[in-house]
Amino acid sequence: DSFTIIESGQVPDFPGLLSTINNQLGLWLGVSFLVIVCLVLVIGIFFMHRVAGPIYRISRNLREVASGTLPEKITLRRKDFHKELADDFNQMVMHLKQERKESQDLICEASDRIKTVLDNSESLGKESTQYLQEVVRKLRELLPSDKKQ
């Protein structure tokens, strides 16, 4: 449009042309800025999700362990951060579960043996019998409800 004016010999409207270029450039820069901001936000949210998600899961499971519950294995997504920490946590929980099971088995065995002694021995005095019955009762209280007899 402006080049046609130059070919015909008329003096072009440079201030108007510069104003049009300036408006178009401003619009292009504004749209570019918004696109870049949106991309940065999406990438930032995605990155934070990969960091914060695993931390949240590990933190939640740590609270479960602190309350006495041994949670199931933490499974993270392929590209999540903190996989080594989750693996260490899983090993710790597995070790605690094994120790808990061994302790429960030992308590069951000890209380069963004491009960057997009580059932088969008439030579124990009343005080010893009551003491051993109390020991058996306290040992059984340490067991979860599914292991009590």
Side-chain angles (χ1 to χ4, degrees):
D1 184 33
S2 300
F3 296 113
T4 309
I5 294 173
I6 292 173
E7 289 176 359
S8 65
Q10 295 177 348
V11 177
D13 178 22
F14 285 113
L17 182 62
L18 289 176
S19 176
T20 302
I21 291 172
N22 189 27
N23 288 342
Q24 289 177 353
L25 184 61
L27 178 65
W28 186 83
L29 286 175
V31 169
S32 298
F33 178 75
L34 287 176
V35 167
I36 289 171
V37 166
C38 288
L39 283 173
V40 167
L41 285 174
V42 166
I43 290 170
I45 289 170
F46 180 76
F47 180 75
M48 290 306 297
H49 187 69
R50 295 286 183 201
V51 172
I55 290 174
Y56 171 76
R57 282 195 217 141
I58 292 167
S59 175
R60 184 185 65 212
N61 285 9
L62 281 171
R63 284 191 297 274
E64 283 185 44
V65 170
S67 72
T69 304
L70 296 179
E72 294 303 315
K73 181 180 177 182
I74 297 174
T75 305
L76 301 180
R77 294 172 299 237
R78 187 171 46 90
K79 292 184 180 181
D80 279 347
F81 289 88
H82 306 299
K83 283 188 174 194
E84 187 174 316
L85 180 61
D87 290 342
D88 291 345
F89 179 84
N90 289 335
Q91 285 181 338
M92 178 194 70
V93 168
M94 187 175 69
H95 180 73
L96 289 172
K97 284 180 179 182
Q98 181 62 36
E99 282 189 353
R100 180 179 279 180
K101 183 187 179 320
E102 289 172 4
S103 296
Q104 290 171 351
D105 291 347
L106 184 62
I107 291 170
C108 281
E109 183 181 338
S111 65
D112 288 345
R113 285 187 179 192
I114 293 170
K115 193 169 184 302
T116 301
V117 168
L118 286 172
D119 292 344
N120 295 328
S121 177
E122 296 174 9
S123 62
L124 288 174
K126 183 177 180 182
E127 194 174 302
S128 295
T129 302
Q130 287 175 340
Y131 172 75
L132 289 175
Q133 287 171 339
E134 182 65 16
V135 169
V136 169
R137 186 186 66 74
K138 286 182 179 181
L139 285 173
R140 292 291 179 188
E141 286 177 1
L142 296 174
L143 295 173
S145 59
D146 64 328
K147 295 257 184 182
K148 293 179 183 175
Q149 296 175 356

